[in-house]
Amino acid sequence: MSTQSNRTAPSGFLAMVEERYRRAADLIHLRDDVRLILSQPKNVIEVNFPVRMDDGSYRLFQGYRVQHNNILGPYKGGIRYHPAVSMDEVKALAALMTWKCSLVGLPLGGAKGGVRIEPRRHSTDELMRVTRRFAHALGSNIGVDYDIPAPDLGTDAQTMAWFMDTYMNSVGYATRNLHRGVVTGKSLTCGGSQGRDKAVGQGILDLIEVWSRESGFPIAGARFIVQGFGQVGSWTALLLERAGAICVGVSDYRGSLANPAGIPLRRLREYVAIHGTIAGFGGAEAVDSETFWSLECDFAIPAALENQIDERVAARLTARLVVEGANGPTTPAAERLLLERGVTVLPDVLANSGGVIVSYFEWTQNKNNEQWDLEEVDARLARRIVRAYENAREVAARYETDLRTACYIVALERLEAAYAERGIFP
Ligand code: GLU
């Protein structure tokens, strides 16, 4: 038996998330006891599980679930399939979920999971067995009122269907359907919500619309680049295009494309559905990564992995607005550079919170056996994400700090208040 690739997380990601937390905690003089509790995850689960490959051999996979905090509600957060998944990366992402859920006012805590695997190298059958075996290995560490996974990088609605089905098969027949909400991000057939697939992109569009009104910079005619063309990147690009913006650059794990006249996104999406990558697409010119980041544009949307915009990339970026579709894509040094230049950075915990917000709607609908229509989902999402943005803007002004720190402050103040009211057991 062998495990998949042993590559570790991008260095310093956990340290970066911790440093941002400390900065905000210092600014508001967060209570020492709360500070201590929030500085570490509550539970850290590592599982090693064997899976049969299509050729009859067995492989041992490593999976993680980190439950960072549940003072505000059940643990909540995605499951990532990627060869660079590590315990430190999952810890960082779990903490980000705690801040995100608190910031946008959800009655949910923060968690994250991952399996170290390159999903592109596995057949659908192998991915199904990996998912079922992982769900089984996590066992009662997850649950509809305890810890609710969702998709993340490398996982999707199909992954969630397998996960839910495995979990539901482990509970009694009579109560099976009460457990549908054990995961979110499901297909509509499996009990998912309208609008969950596009939720991160929709939330990003809602935020850009407010920013556009405030700054007087119109979306129609604005040029943008997007890194990553998965669920987050492709939906964000399509929705921005629908609002009149022009996509001049796209990149993914295989390469980058540019077209100053606009990349035909619908055709690109069809191409990606067949080829699994944007590489080789005919409707734009292939460019290298440096050229991609240097493209003349107004908005830049990193929607792939962490640590993608470093100082070198930041020095090249021409955008006036950076919207973090991904978690942790901008390094602190790069962010400083951008802020000095007057670039607005909409930070991950706010920018991509549309995903978990609509996950919350899905969970609520499952609990109440309801089905909301798309207009209702979109309207509720817009209200919640815009309120969080306005709140963060007000806090940023009050503390004379940047928007990211302000988002952390809003999140921490809510968590601190919960601890203050409840006290610490015993
Ligand atoms: N994985 C997404 C995130 O990072 C969504 C999590 C969820 O819906 O629970 O926010």
Side-chain angles (χ1 to χ4, degrees):
M1 278 184 211
S2 65
T3 51
Q4 287 291 101
S5 158
N6 275 327
R7 269 200 287 152
T8 51
S11 64
F13 179 45
L14 178 60
M16 173 180 100
V17 170
E18 287 173 348
E19 179 50 34
R20 284 173 170 162
Y21 159 65
R22 273 195 295 272
R23 191 181 142 81
D26 284 347
L27 264 173
I28 58 167
H29 306 290
L30 186 70
R31 271 170 53 165
D32 282 346
D33 49 0
V34 176
R35 192 182 175 113
L36 205 60
I37 293 168
L38 294 175
S39 68
Q40 288 292 328
K42 284 209 158 183
N43 305 314
V44 168
I45 300 144
E46 180 182 320
V47 291
N48 292 284
F49 52 97
V51 179
R52 184 170 46 79
M53 299 290 101
D54 292 341
D55 65 5
S57 68
Y58 282 84
R59 268 200 188 178
L60 194 64
F61 288 88
Q62 198 161 58
Y64 308 100
R65 185 71 179 168
V66 174
Q67 297 168 331
H68 180 263
N69 191 271
N70 65 348
I71 188 87
L72 297 175
Y75 298 112
K76 184 84 191 82
I79 286 179
R80 173 173 290 204
Y81 285 0
H82 192 271
V85 160
S86 71
M87 183 60 98
D88 273 3
E89 183 193 45
V90 177
K91 278 184 181 173
L93 293 165
L96 286 178
M97 287 308 301
T98 301
W99 316 145
K100 200 182 296 184
C101 291
S102 179
L103 167 68
V104 296
L106 300 178
L108 294 169
K112 200 79 170 199
V115 176
R116 195 178 303 160
I117 182 175
E118 172 52 277
R120 292 189 179 91
R121 293 228 189 97
H122 291 272
S123 68
T124 305
D125 273 2
E126 286 178 352
L127 289 174
M128 180 186 72
R129 289 195 291 274
V130 167
T131 303
R132 288 192 182 281
R133 198 55 213 250
F134 181 46
H136 184 263
L138 289 176
S140 56
N141 288 299
I142 58 158
V144 64
D145 285 310
Y146 181 54
D147 184 356
I148 307 133
D152 195 75
L153 202 77
T155 55
D156 56 17
Q158 175 62 78
T159 324
M160 294 304 111
W162 293 325
F163 205 106
M164 177 190 80
D165 184 72
T166 309
Y167 185 85
M168 281 167 94
N169 272 291
S170 73
V171 297
Y173 288 114
T175 56
R176 199 154 281 184
N177 272 302
L178 296 177
H179 297 271
R180 203 167 280 276
V182 70
V183 291
T184 58
K186 304 181 289 286
S187 67
L188 288 175
T189 333
C190 286
S193 174
Q194 294 283 355
R196 177 61 183 85
D197 49 356
K198 70 176 175 96
V200 176
Q202 187 63 49
I204 287 177
L205 182 66
D206 294 337
L207 292 172
I208 297 183
E209 276 173 353
V210 182
W211 173 88
S212 159
R213 276 198 297 277
E214 282 172 350
S215 59
F217 188 91
I219 298 180
R223 292 153 305 171
F224 68 94
I225 59 172
V226 57
Q227 185 202 30
F229 206 66
Q231 173 116 311
V232 175
S234 64
W235 270 114
T236 305
L238 279 164
L239 292 170
L240 276 169
E241 186 191 58
R242 224 176 271 170
I246 302 156
C247 180
V248 294
V250 179
S251 87
D252 77 357
Y253 70 107
R254 290 277 307 278
S256 307
L257 299 172
N259 185 346
I263 297 174
L265 292 175
R266 233 163 300 269
R267 264 179 52 212
L268 179 59
R269 214 150 113 119
E270 284 161 18
Y271 181 89
V272 171
I274 297 164
H275 300 274
T277 172
I278 63 166
F281 177 66
E285 186 195 341
V287 294
D288 63 22
S289 152
E290 288 186 6
T291 310
F292 167 75
W293 287 116
S294 314
L295 291 170
E296 272 311 312
C297 66
D298 305 298
F299 314 148
I301 297 124
L305 275 168
E306 49 266 20
N307 289 337
Q308 297 300 297
I309 302 184
D310 56 15
E311 283 165 280
R312 276 189 38 220
V313 169
R316 285 199 176 86
L317 266 186
T318 60
R320 62 183 71 214
L321 177 68
V322 173
V323 191
E324 294 186 337
N327 289 311
T330 315
T331 67
E335 185 172 20
R336 267 195 301 279
L337 260 180
L338 293 170
L339 296 179
E340 273 163 26
R341 287 214 315 260
V343 176
T344 302
V345 179
L346 298 184
D348 47 13
V349 286
L350 173 69
N352 67 40
S353 65
V356 75
I357 292 174
V358 179
S359 272
Y360 166 62
F361 298 160
E362 179 176 334
W363 182 68
T364 310
Q365 290 170 78
N366 288 163
K367 276 188 164 294
N368 300 329
N369 290 319
E370 283 176 13
Q371 285 177 324
W372 304 352
D373 58 28
L374 184 59
E375 289 68 34
E376 180 166 1
V377 170
D378 282 352
R380 285 183 190 239
L381 164 61
R383 258 202 314 276
R384 194 174 277 272
I385 202 165
V386 168
R387 203 189 308 136
Y389 175 61
E390 286 169 353
N391 209 356
R393 285 284 306 261
E394 190 265 310
V395 168
R398 183 148 38 94
Y399 284 88
E400 293 178 349
T401 188
D402 58 90
L403 206 52
R404 186 188 312 277
T405 309
C407 286
Y408 274 55
I409 289 175
V410 175
L412 292 180
E413 281 178 341
R414 184 162 170 244
L415 287 154
E416 185 178 43
Y419 278 107
E421 284 172 31
R422 286 174 57 163
I424 292 163
F425 181 79

